[in-house]
Amino acid sequence: MNDQITQQEVNATAWAACDTFRGVVDPAQYKDYILVMLFLKYISDRWNDHYAEYKEQYGDDDERIRRKLERERFLLPYVELKEEDSKTGETKVIDRFVGDFNALYERRNEANIGELINIVLDHIEDANKSKLEGVFRNIDFNSEANLGKAKDRNRRLKTLLEDFNKLDLRPSRVSEDVIGNTYIYLIERFGSDAGKKAGEFYTPKMVSRLLSALAQPKPGDRICDPSCGSGSLLIEAAQMVEAQGSHNYALFGEEVNGATWALARMNMFIHSKDAARIEWCDTLNSPALVEADRLMKFNVVVANPPFSLDKWGSEHADNDRYKRFWRGVPPKSKGDWAFITNMIERALPQEGRVAVVVPHGVLFRGGAEGRIRQKLIEENLLDAVVGLPGNLFPTTSIPVAILVFDRAREKGGARENIKDVLFVDASQEFVPGKNQNTLSEEHFAKIVATVATRQNVERYAYVAATNELAENDFNLNIPRYVDTFEEEKEIDVAAVQREIDQIEQELTDVRARMRHHLLELGVEVI
């Protein structure tokens, strides 16, 4: 008998647990509670599954079992609850248990269950500082502001624990791939529910896959997303290297939002990417991925940064200690080129490849943005511009583009002789959805193949020489290069007139018959 739990079963159970908060707590907030609880259940079930194995192996030798468990990826410590004796003033232990999901489930009816969850998470964080320090600090299960007054809060948390208790995540019953897929599945569902707020943590899966594919990660690469959100784009890039038969890569990320940074850390652990370095920082103003006071360099840099971010820190750009904005300072109300410049400066000279999602304004806006765009083109760094359909994101219905920069096109790089830019107009090819469009596997494959072959494709792709870009004042608006205009069919005016005459004659005949029938019925016709 196969007692393995399917992906669909795990997804359905995890999503059902969200009903506890739906309609009460904003999706952008309740995702944190759900994903933290999923992570707690994951590490608890792993621990208890292995405990059962060691128990069978070593019997009642708890000391030996504990030594074995201390080698686990995550250590679950003992929690001691104490209180002061009102008469003697002495502090005594009133409860002692292993800090895991099961202990919380057993205490789900306690009046301070929210506080107990926080205590367990604090103990787990302290016991695993090298991995989990700070990961749970942004989530408060005892928050009246988010979860309501004590009675309602306790009821919701009890229901949440009961729902997650139905989820069996023991390694003997479910693979880590399934758990990782569930984490991504929930992030995607939260992205759909959270609307514009989803942009803080979510890039649609097919867009993440496409961005990763265009960045072309390979074995041995250091891969960075300086605006990593919940880290799903890094996971996609890693999986593309793994598809090449290798686990030789290193992942790095930076995220400015503390709660989202915590999600990214948990996402890495659930996908067994424990070595990933994800920093909580402002990538434009205080980057943390530095070595010897210089920006770390990467083979691949990918990102879906905030679109046209206002007040991104332009006032500090002239004095940037890492000299990233030497091509010019973007407008203070639109940070797009600040993020792009940041990414290019992090790519390895003569080698690094950059892929970034941008709004279309980045392609043609003038002023400082136009000057930066011109310099990057004159440096021969821009490799491809890919226009995507509208309504791919929960954050915006506007169509977006992907820019690909390749520092191997610099002097001394392997592609320094490439002097053109590929334009792809994929904006008309998508799978329409009720609330959001998506790309199919066929659309994905066509874009990737077109970028790889760099050939003109009628009404779809065009390879433009750099002098053409200069003639267009370095405007990258895709319709300037890819002609998608289709001539309308010629209209035979004489045939149309004959058709109109025929219809009018038929209408006259119908009216005459109607008049005849009315007269037979004795109805006076005026």
Side-chain angles (χ1 to χ4, degrees), residues 222-235 250-257 260-262 264-265 268 273 275-284 286-290 296-298 300-303 342-343 346:
R222 296 210 305 183
I223 304 165
C224 176
D225 181 346
S227 308
C228 72
S230 56
S232 300
L233 182 49
L234 285 172
I235 299 295
L251 302 180
F252 300 82
E254 293 176 327
E255 171 54 39
V256 70
N257 181 291
T260 306
W261 166 82
R265 296 286 293 140
M268 295 300 136
K273 313 290 188 247
R277 179 179 167 186
I278 311 296
E279 296 287 351
W280 180 8
C281 65
D282 181 338
T283 186
L284 297 182
S286 54
L289 293 174
V290 295
M296 291 177 67
K297 301 292 184 179
F298 304 95
V300 169
V301 187
V302 290
N342 175 51
M343 295 173 70
R346 289 165 177 269

Side-chain angles (χ1 to χ4, degrees), residues 28-47:
Q29 288 184 320
Y30 77 63
K31 75 179 191 307
D32 299 333
Y33 295 99
I34 297 294
L35 293 171
V36 166
M37 191 58 67
L38 177 64
F39 183 72
L40 176 61
K41 189 69 165 67
Y42 161 68
I43 62 176
S44 298
D45 283 2
R46 280 182 60 88
W47 177 276

Side-chain angles (χ1 to χ4, degrees), residues 86-115:
S86 59
K87 293 181 180 179
T88 65
E90 294 181 357
T91 300
K92 61 180 181 179
V93 176
I94 59 171
D95 199 1
R96 187 173 188 269
F97 54 88
V98 174
D100 71 348
F101 176 88
N102 291 346
L104 292 171
Y105 176 73
E106 290 168 1
R107 292 161 178 79
R108 64 190 181 280
N109 291 309
E110 296 292 331
N112 65 334
I113 184 60
E115 182 184 7

Side-chain angles (χ1 to χ4, degrees), residues 340-352:
I340 296 169
T341 299
N342 175 51
M343 295 173 70
I344 290 170
E345 293 302 307
R346 289 165 177 269
L348 278 166
Q350 303 177 340
E351 179 183 346

Side-chain angles (χ1 to χ4, degrees), residues 292-413:
D293 205 32
R294 294 183 179 182
L295 291 175
M296 291 177 67
K297 301 292 184 179
F298 304 95
N299 306 87
V300 169
V301 187
V302 290
N304 171 27
F307 291 171
S308 302
L309 182 66
D310 190 14
K311 300 175 183 176
W312 57 270
S314 61
E315 65 274 18
H316 308 301
D318 282 331
N319 299 315
D320 177 47
R321 66 190 298 178
Y322 305 109
K323 313 297 183 188
R324 286 170 291 178
F325 306 106
W326 59 270
R327 298 177 185 88
V329 177
K332 66 178 181 180
S333 61
K334 289 183 174 61
D336 302 299
W337 281 103
F339 285 105
I340 296 169
T341 299
N342 175 51
M343 295 173 70
I344 290 170
E345 293 302 307
R346 289 165 177 269
L348 278 166
Q350 303 177 340
E351 179 183 346
R353 195 164 170 88
V354 172
V356 56
V357 180
V358 297
H360 274 253
V362 166
L363 306 180
F364 56 79
R365 289 194 298 251
E369 294 180 286
R371 291 189 291 275
I372 296 168
R373 187 170 60 241
Q374 177 177 341
K375 287 181 180 178
L376 285 167
I377 293 169
E378 289 174 341
E379 289 173 55
N380 198 37
L381 295 184
L382 183 62
D383 198 48
V385 180
V386 180
L388 298 180
N391 206 31
L392 286 180
F393 289 77
T395 50
T396 178
S397 61
I398 63 170
V400 300
I402 293 176
L403 296 182
V404 180
F405 298 90
D406 191 353
R407 297 198 64 168
R409 293 170 53 128
E410 293 176 322
K411 187 174 181 180

